[in-house]
Amino acid sequence: MLAEARKYVVALHSLLLGIALSTVLLFAGVSALAQSDMLDQCADAGLSHDAPAAACSDKWLAISVRGWAEMAAGLFDAARSDFYKVGRFESEAAKIESSLGLGALAWEFESFALARQLASDVLEMNPVHAQALYLHGVASGAIGDFETAMADAGKLIALAPNDPVGHALMGLFYHNRAVQFGADDDFEAALTSYEKALGLGGKPNAGLLRRYSWLLSTGPDEIRDTELALVIAQQAFKEQARVSTVPRHAALFHHTLAVALASNGRTREAEIQLEAAIERFPGARSRFQKALKGAGFLDKETPATLYELLGAIHACLEVKCGALNVPLIYKTL
């Protein structure tokens, strides 16, 4: 139950882990919230060591489930409080759970160095903890340490070669490095990793589909397939709507669909999707304009029209514009 809760939230934040929220988790979150007073008393007792062991020794599990449920609902302050409470308990498992939860929150608020440190704390206790390796990898990639990020992805692949997560993560790092430095070999390696992950079976994850579509829309000519990119973007959009209602996550999928539509010459439909993206996450407009202006693709002080913004975004992506880190503009991978 706890693992399902944690995995669901990691999937929301990274949009790469293909884990759906189960009915069990929903009931677990509701049950945990209904027992708030008792759980808080146990957390306080864990700090002061004055609670009967039989009454409270395992209650950190329920507090953690509550924290992940709160995080999935966007109740970040409540989630942070609960993960701190989990860390008061003496067991190593509780310490690990606390660090993972706080690390996921650090990622949510773009504190990537802190997220990596918290993941490192877990890896000191358990060097092969899969979710800690994942968090350590994505945080390393976000700060540009691709060597460490790829090493983490490689460890995940070695631990579970038939699990798509490690391959999808490796593809993400190749893709990000390719966009930043413009290396065609990295684009091809990203495509290979994405297709390996998709070929391992199971229901494709929305984030993996989104990244795959993005690569097919904007990659080098030899791997570009705009028609397939649009089909994949539409599939990703439907899957994302099923698993997450977080506005900025939804915005990124609207944006991916906009790029796929634009790459197929369907500009008006693309503008509608970009407008929907900005409506879901208003901060994206100013972030995009600042990034595009800095990269030399948009030269105006007043707010750009949607048409101007979309044209500049697409032009930037066409030349592998490393200044435009679209996922981070939306505060998500």
Side-chain angles (χ1 to χ4, degrees):
M1 180 175 62
L2 176 62
E4 288 296 313
R6 185 201 309 133
K7 288 180 180 179
Y8 173 61
V9 175
V10 173
L12 285 180
H13 291 168
S14 65
L15 294 176
L16 281 169
L17 292 177
I19 303 166
L21 180 62
S22 66
T23 303
V24 172
L25 171 58
L26 291 175
F27 281 111
V30 171
S31 175
L33 289 168
Q35 301 177 61
S36 293
D37 290 343
M38 179 272 291
L39 296 178
D40 290 343
Q41 291 170 9
C42 279
D44 292 338
L47 181 63
S48 60
H49 309 293
D50 62 359
C56 287
S57 62
D58 62 348
K59 291 300 185 292
W60 67 265
L61 290 165
I63 298 172
S64 185
V65 168
R66 184 176 69 183
W68 290 111
E70 290 163 339
M71 195 170 177
L75 303 174
F76 299 121
D77 288 342
R80 182 178 292 105
S81 176
D82 275 337
F83 289 128
Y84 274 122
K85 289 173 183 176
V86 170
R88 296 173 181 174
F89 289 84
E90 292 184 344
S91 74
E92 183 175 281
K95 302 295 185 189
I96 286 175
E97 194 64 25
S98 175
S99 292
L100 284 174
L102 293 171
L105 283 164
W107 170 269
E108 178 69 28
F109 288 94
E110 301 182 336
S111 296
F112 304 124
L114 177 58
R116 182 160 83 159
Q117 181 56 56
L118 288 162
S120 294
D121 293 343
V122 175
L123 292 171
E124 287 182 7
M125 292 181 274
N126 181 354
V128 293
H129 194 289
Q131 282 145 342
L133 284 168
Y134 188 96
L135 179 60
H136 194 268
V138 294
S140 296
I143 61 177
D145 184 357
F146 292 113
E147 183 177 352
T148 298
M150 289 176 166
D152 288 333
K155 291 174 185 176
L156 282 172
I157 292 170
L159 286 171
N162 294 320
D163 189 323
V165 172
H167 298 283
L169 195 62
M170 187 69 82
L172 169 70
F173 299 142
Y174 275 123
H175 196 172
N176 281 352
R177 193 170 70 174
V179 170
Q180 185 167 338
F181 298 110
D184 285 352
D185 287 349
D186 278 350
F187 281 108
E188 292 172 5
L191 182 68
T192 298
S193 293
Y194 288 158
E195 292 182 342
K196 173 69 173 178
L198 288 166
L200 286 171
K203 191 172 183 62
N205 169 258
L208 173 56
L209 291 171
R210 175 182 60 75
R211 296 291 305 197
Y212 185 44
S213 170
W214 199 277
L215 181 60
L216 293 172
S217 290
T218 63
D221 290 341
E222 57 268 25
I223 65 173
R224 188 173 302 182
D225 186 336
T226 58
E227 291 184 3
L228 178 58
L230 180 55
V231 172
I232 298 298
Q234 291 167 333
Q235 184 182 354
F237 188 85
K238 291 177 182 178
E239 179 63 15
Q240 185 276 335
R242 189 182 70 80
V243 301
S244 172
T245 58
V246 177
R248 60 181 164 273
H249 295 171
L252 184 51
F253 283 81
H254 279 292
H255 188 98
T256 301
L257 187 53
V259 169
L261 287 163
S263 68
N264 281 275
R266 295 163 63 173
T267 305
R268 179 57 192 141
E269 293 171 83
E271 287 181 54
I272 292 170
Q273 291 299 323
L274 184 60
E275 184 175 18
I278 292 172
E279 181 179 350
R280 299 299 296 272
F281 185 54
R285 180 190 284 268
S286 61
R287 288 184 179 208
F288 271 120
Q289 184 150 348
K290 181 179 179 181
L292 290 163
K293 184 178 179 182
F297 288 88
L298 196 62
D299 184 22
K300 62 183 303 183
E301 298 297 332
T302 57
T305 66
L306 288 172
Y307 182 80
E308 290 171 332
L309 200 59
L310 180 64
I313 289 168
H314 201 255
C316 186
L317 291 168
E318 284 280 317
V319 296
K320 312 181 189 74
C321 175
L324 190 62
N325 193 327
V326 174
L328 291 186
I329 282 176
Y330 286 106
K331 293 176 64 179
T332 180
L333 281 178

